[in-house]
Amino acid sequence: VSNHYVLGNEHDRKTPYMWQYLVNFQRELGGATAIEVGYLGSRSYRLERMFDWNETIPGVSGSVQSRKPYPEFTKLQEIGNVAEARYNSLAVKVTRRFQDGFSLLGGYTLSKSTDNGSGIRTLNGDTLFPQDSFCLECEWASSIFDVRHRFVSSVLYELPFGAAKPYLSD
């Protein structure tokens, strides 16, 4: 049998955890408008990531396979708690109530998400394994799901019937 591919799991994997912090300030502007400004941040630790203990050692002599630490195997894949992530955002939300049951909401978020492994499986162009499993610090970059600017809006209309409404109140 050639091309041995070994799958492994750390026997003492730890539970991933996250620190999250949030602060919001709200202010009423007149009787029908409110604004909210807030910061949300998080730090995630012990996230799961695949890595390969049998990566080819760079060089020009010998075949690719002969330059692996264990040349009798193709990959020594392991899943472990080796990834971390950071997220920071600033959000602004404006809400305006109009007459006749209409409300309008608009929100904007400026954010940045970075990590050294966006997921345990590939996501939209992400790689399954790090470029260098022996240097996970070298993998720090924007998360594959990072969205810097996001604007959302909604319109709400309260229907004019039911209890305490002009129509069908009984």
Side-chain angles (χ1 to χ4, degrees), residues 69-87:
Y70 306 98
E72 62 276 16
F73 300 105
T74 53
K75 278 205 182 292
L76 295 175
Q77 171 189 313
E78 189 162 341
I79 298 173
N81 299 101
V82 295
E84 295 181 3
R86 297 181 188 126
Y87 177 78

Side-chain angles (χ1 to χ4, degrees), residues 32-89:
T33 305
I35 186 167
E36 181 176 337
V37 178
Y39 167 79
L40 171 68
S42 69
R43 299 289 183 266
S44 302
Y45 301 94
R46 296 183 186 161
L47 302 175
E48 293 184 336
R49 168 93 199 241
M50 283 192 193
F51 52 96
D52 179 14
W53 287 115
N54 202 31
E55 287 187 349
T56 303
I57 298 167
V60 292
S61 63
S63 68
V64 169
Q65 194 63 29
S66 69
R67 288 185 280 121
K68 291 183 178 280
Y70 306 98
E72 62 276 16
F73 300 105
T74 53
K75 278 205 182 292
L76 295 175
Q77 171 189 313
E78 189 162 341
I79 298 173
N81 299 101
V82 295
E84 295 181 3
R86 297 181 188 126
Y87 177 78
N88 292 290
S89 69

Side-chain angles (χ1 to χ4, degrees), residues 11-160:
H11 68 282
D12 62 346
R13 284 201 321 220
K14 309 287 190 245
T15 302
Y17 67 95
M18 171 194 290
W19 289 98
Q20 191 172 44
Y21 21 91
L22 168 72
V23 62
N24 280 330
F25 298 97
Q26 297 175 340
R27 179 78 178 173
E28 186 177 25
L29 306 173
T33 305
I35 186 167
E36 181 176 337
V37 178
Y39 167 79
L40 171 68
S42 69
R43 299 289 183 266
S44 302
Y45 301 94
R46 296 183 186 161
L47 302 175
E48 293 184 336
R49 168 93 199 241
M50 283 192 193
F51 52 96
D52 179 14
W53 287 115
N54 202 31
E55 287 187 349
T56 303
I57 298 167
V60 292
S61 63
S63 68
V64 169
Q65 194 63 29
S66 69
R67 288 185 280 121
K68 291 183 178 280
Y70 306 98
E72 62 276 16
F73 300 105
T74 53
K75 278 205 182 292
L76 295 175
Q77 171 189 313
E78 189 162 341
I79 298 173
N81 299 101
V82 295
E84 295 181 3
R86 297 181 188 126
Y87 177 78
N88 292 290
S89 69
L90 175 67
V92 178
K93 178 175 79 171
V94 177
T95 306
R96 171 81 183 188
R97 288 188 316 267
F98 295 99
Q99 295 178 3
D100 301 324
F102 279 102
S103 293
L104 179 64
L105 178 139
Y108 171 75
T109 303
L110 171 65
S111 66
K112 182 176 183 179
S113 178
T114 57
D115 59 39
N116 62 353
S118 289
I120 196 166
R121 297 287 183 209
T122 57
L123 302 165
N124 195 23
D126 201 10
T127 58
L128 186 58
F129 291 96
Q131 294 179 60
D132 182 354
S133 290
F134 301 109
C135 182
L136 292 176
E137 284 299 311
C138 302
E139 294 291 310
W140 272 103
S142 294
S143 302
I144 197 72
F145 47 81
D146 181 45
V147 176
R148 293 295 164 94
H149 304 280
R150 182 168 178 94
F151 178 77
V152 296
S153 63
S154 66
V155 176
L156 179 67
Y157 175 64
E158 186 177 353
L159 297 174

